[in-house]
């Protein structure tokens, strides 16, 4: 168990702004009917520590005067949301794909003015500074001294050390007074154990003659995938021919303390033959330092700009240095839902489920549910360490990445796509590479498998050919990241990932920090899907149809395909444990997109 405790923590490693702060105060929100708290209805505690952090040593109290930001996630009428969502995503229902506006969401499910004021009044009476209430009444952002937090929640905040890394987390289970307990779903920010993993894998680097100039020698060199090759492989060129390039549409991109260089983007655009996109940055939880970043933001923005060349791009930039990763994620998702300015959102970040607490995962999934109710598609990369998101192979512990494993995420796996110089797809297999190294550096291949979070039940819509294929890790000594560990089994009654896939092998041409790179990862697959989905939505909108929306739609497309082929089924390769199979599988989901077929199928409904 001690070894497993260390393994559970081994995975945690550690742009330009034209920003709008956009904080919506509570008194500007529409009237809500309020909720009736149900005693004992909440399954998870207000906050609990991540299982991967439990072997930390130290327990040194944090300075009493240190200021910590927290996000108090507010209760909703969850039963009503789930009931309405089921109808919203059931073909043939009277409310099928009748997505909600922000005002409708508040009016149907949120706290009333009086209930909201009770929570705010309690916070201020305890010594918190209330910074913002988002327009959907999903959360209150507040800050206070450590001593205030400890006294008001009846906990202690302490620093711990594990594998030479220092982090803080709570000691004890938080409590709230009965007067507001039914109005607060969870508190996020009481630990900072989970860290985003986003270093894209790299195939090769080609230096340019003159950095930051329109030197296109390296674009498409050594058979790397250009925008034209990706567009041809995934039928985007067919949508372009119909006039759909993203005009009037908006794509959101989530970044966490990861800037990008405007000159890198300009150089890429010149070589890809597109106009330099106008990118708006929306700041979350503070300003992020400028610079070229680690290459993730550059790849995200370049791929969206190249594949949806006339779409608006909004980079939601969260400062994960000021808050915990989980808190930054909740704050970002809530901001996107409140703004309701984008039709799709791409997220290329995550880490092992065991790095998050159950309460943190529940909070993020609730925010994703809100976005799905608004018809916003959220594509999240499934990870780059194959079936082993914990990043180690000895012992072999299979674990999926979060937030991709959230039931309301659209989890995107990765393929090895090859396209010839005539822009014809010659092959597409699972992205999976066992380089024999003991620790993954984001190069083992597409993430996928089964959740181990008992609250993430397998959704009713996760059905179809391949979704019941059985796997047992006993013979290969592959275990779960649970205490005690047990051989991994799939299906296990819980959420299965990924849902879909796209090119991820590091052979995609990206311009970063003055050089051309062959890059990729599921960090590339997510923005590829986001760019394609926004063109699908443009076509649907032009024909008076609703957007494709959240993850259940992608199973409907597969199971009611008629004479169309919405996906290219990937049947060759594996992610170091789960093989590709006909139909859905644990390495590439339903497969790679055929965006024109998806469009025609959606229009035929």
């Amino acid at each position: 168990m001690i070894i497993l405790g260390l393994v559970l923590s081994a995975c945690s490693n550690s742009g330009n702004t034209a920003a709008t702060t956009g904080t919506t105060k509570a008194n500007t929100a529409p009237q809500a009917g309020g909720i009736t708290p149900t005693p004992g209805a909440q399954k998870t505690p207000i906050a609990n520590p991540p299982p991967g952090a439990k072997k930390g040593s130290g327990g040194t109290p944090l300075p009493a005067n240190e200021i910590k930001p927290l996000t108090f996630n507010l209760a909703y009428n969850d039963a009503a949301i789930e009931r309405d969502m089921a109808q919203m995503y059931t073909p043939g229902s009277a409310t099928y794909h009748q997505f909600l506006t922000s005002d409708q969401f508040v009016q149907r499910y949120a706290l009333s003015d009086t209930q909201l004021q009770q929570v705010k009044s309690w916070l201020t009476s305890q010594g918190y500074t209330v910074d913002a209430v988002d327009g959907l009444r999903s959360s209150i952002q507040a800050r206070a001294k450590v001593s205030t937090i400890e006294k008001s929640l009846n906990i202690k905040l302490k620093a711990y050390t594990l594998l030479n890394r220092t982090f803080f987390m709570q000691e004890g289970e938080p409590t709230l007074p009965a007067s507001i307990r039914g109005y607060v779903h969870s508190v996020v920010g009481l630990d900072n154990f989970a860290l985003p993993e986003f270093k894209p894998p790299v195939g090769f680097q080609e230096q340019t003659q003159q950095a930051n100039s329109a030197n296109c020698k390296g674009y498409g060199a050594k058979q790397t995938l250009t925008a034209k090759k990706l567009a041809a492989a995934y039928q985007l060129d067919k949508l372009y021919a119909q006039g759909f390039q993203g005009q009037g549409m908006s794509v959101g991109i989530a970044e966490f303390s990861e800037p990008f260089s405007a000159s890198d983007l300009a150089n890429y655009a010149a070589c890809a033959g597109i106009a330099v996109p106008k990118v708006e940055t929306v700041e979350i939880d503070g300003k992020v330092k400028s610079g070229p970043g680690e290459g993730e933001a550059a790849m995200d923005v370049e791929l969206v700009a190249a594949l949806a060349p006339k779409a608006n791009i909004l980079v939601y930039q969260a400062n994960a240095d000021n808050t915990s990763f989980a808190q930054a994620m909740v704050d970002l998702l809530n901001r996107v839902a409140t703004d309701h300015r984008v039709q799709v959102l791409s997220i290329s970040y995550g880490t092992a489920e065991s790095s998050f607490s159950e309460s943190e995962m529940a909070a993020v999934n609730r925010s994703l549910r809100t976005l799905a109710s608004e018809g916003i598609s959220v594509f999240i990369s499934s990870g780059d360490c194959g079936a082993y998101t914990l990043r180690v192979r000895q012992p072999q512990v299979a674990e999926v990445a979060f937030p991709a494993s959230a039931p309301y995420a659209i989890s995107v796996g990765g393929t090895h796509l090859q396209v010839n110089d005539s822009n014809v797809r010659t092959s597409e297999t699972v992205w999976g590479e066992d380089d024999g190294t003991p620790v993954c550096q984001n190069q083992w291949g597409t993430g996928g498998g089964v959740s181990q979070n008992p609250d993430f039940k397998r959704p009713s819509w996760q059905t179809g050919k391949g979704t019941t294929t059985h796997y047992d890790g006993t013979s290969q000594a592959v275990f779960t990241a649970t205490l005690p560990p047990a051989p991994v089994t799939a299906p296990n009654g819980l959420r299965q990932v990924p849902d879909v896939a796209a090119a991820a092998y590091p052979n995609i041409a990206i311009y970063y920090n003055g050089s051309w790179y062959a890059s990729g990862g599921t960090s590339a697959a997510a923005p590829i899907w986001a760019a394609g989905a926004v063109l699908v939505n443009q076509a649907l909108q032009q024909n008076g149809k609703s957007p494709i929306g959240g993850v259940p739609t992608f199973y409907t497309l597969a199971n009611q395909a008629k004479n169309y082929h919405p996906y290219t089924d990937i049947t060759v390769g594996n992610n170091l444990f789960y093989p590709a199979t006909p139909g859905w599988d644990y390495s590439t989901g339903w497969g790679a997109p055929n965006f024109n077929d998806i469009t025609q199928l959606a229009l035929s409904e």
Side-chain angles (χ1 to χ4, degrees), residues 182-467:
Y183 303 146
V184 176
H185 176 271
S186 59
V187 181
V188 181
L190 295 176
D191 77 83
N192 67 342
F193 184 67
L195 292 176
E197 297 167 3
F198 58 91
K199 185 70 173 177
V202 174
F204 73 88
Q205 174 186 1
E206 181 158 321
Q207 297 289 345
T208 60
Q209 297 295 320
Q210 183 179 355
N212 301 327
S213 69
N215 186 321
C216 300
K217 177 182 177 181
Y219 185 57
K222 301 183 181 179
Q223 301 300 307
T224 49
L225 297 176
T226 62
K228 287 185 177 180
K229 288 183 175 182
L230 289 168
Y234 296 143
Q235 297 185 349
L236 288 169
D237 56 349
K238 293 184 178 181
L239 293 178
Y240 301 157
Q242 299 169 55
F244 302 122
Q245 297 188 55
Q247 302 94 318
M249 309 298 286
S250 297
V251 179
I253 299 173
E255 303 292 350
F256 297 87
S257 297
E258 166 66 356
F260 64 94
S261 164
S263 59
D264 281 349
L265 180 58
N267 198 97
Y268 178 89
C271 297
I274 60 171
V276 178
K278 294 181 179 179
V279 181
E280 177 184 349
T281 300
V282 182
E283 293 178 344
I284 314 292
D285 297 331
K287 189 177 181 64
V288 172
K289 294 180 181 179
S290 61
E294 297 292 327
E296 178 57 59
M299 181 167 64
D300 292 341
V301 176
E302 288 172 7
L303 286 175
V304 170
L307 298 177
K310 295 187 178 180
N312 301 313
I313 299 176
L314 280 72
V315 174
Y316 284 86
Q317 180 68 266
N319 190 331
D321 298 325
N322 288 349
T323 63
S324 70
F325 180 34
Q327 184 179 355
M329 197 183 313
V330 169
D331 292 347
L332 187 150
L333 293 173
N334 288 345
R335 177 62 183 276
V336 174
T338 300
D339 288 353
H340 208 164
R341 296 177 61 192
V342 302
Q343 292 78 47
V344 299
L345 177 67
S346 176
I347 303 177
S348 294
Y349 294 77
T351 190
E353 280 189 331
S354 57
S355 293
F356 296 91
S357 68
E358 290 182 6
S359 56
E360 289 170 334
M361 288 194 278
V364 170
N365 189 53
R366 291 173 83 246
S367 297
L368 289 169
R369 181 184 65 183
T370 301
L371 289 162
S373 76
E374 295 180 336
I376 298 173
S377 305
V378 184
F379 298 95
I380 305 180
S381 57
S382 68
D384 297 346
C385 290
Y388 308 101
T389 303
L390 284 170
R391 310 179 75 81
V392 294
R393 288 284 301 281
Q394 296 297 329
Q396 295 189 107
V397 179
E399 183 169 5
V400 294
F402 181 82
S405 66
Y408 280 103
I410 305 170
S411 179
V412 185
T415 68
H416 181 183
L417 170 66
Q418 298 183 72
V419 181
N420 65 22
D421 289 337
S422 298
N423 293 337
V424 175
R425 173 168 41 196
T426 56
S427 71
E428 192 161 14
T429 59
V430 176
W431 174 45
E433 301 178 86
D434 188 353
D435 59 8
T437 58
V439 178
C440 175
Q441 299 296 325
N442 286 14
Q443 80 285 9
W444 284 354
T446 175
V450 287
S451 175
Q452 299 298 325
N453 181 347
D455 292 331
F456 285 176
K457 304 301 182 185
R458 180 177 166 187
S460 60
W461 41 259
Q462 190 159 45
T463 61
K465 181 180 179 180
T467 57

Side-chain angles (χ1 to χ4, degrees), residues 16-106:
N16 297 340
T17 56
T20 56
T21 55
T23 299
T24 305
K25 300 298 181 183
N27 59 11
T28 66
Q31 293 294 313
I35 68 168
T36 302
T38 303
Q42 184 161 322
K43 299 178 182 179
T44 57
I46 297 172
N48 55 352
K54 292 181 179 180
K55 292 298 179 181
S57 61
T60 305
L62 296 185
N65 290 328
E66 184 176 338
I67 303 295
K68 291 290 184 187
L70 298 178
T71 296
F72 289 78
N73 296 296
L74 301 174
Y76 280 143
N77 188 336
D78 288 318
I81 295 176
E82 293 293 341
R83 180 189 65 238
D84 293 349
M85 291 281 285
Q87 294 302 304
M88 195 180 296
Y89 282 99
T90 299
S93 163
T95 57
Y96 179 59
H97 276 192
Q98 292 186 13
F99 300 121
L100 304 178
T101 66
S102 300
D103 287 356
Q104 288 172 330
F105 193 92
V106 171

Side-chain angles (χ1 to χ4, degrees), residues 463-495:
T463 61
K465 181 180 179 180
T467 57
T468 57
T469 304
H470 180 72
Y471 296 94
D472 187 334
T474 301
S475 62
Q476 298 182 49
V478 177
F479 296 92
T480 61
T482 57
L483 295 174
V488 67
T489 59
N492 63 351
L494 303 175
R495 172 72 159 115

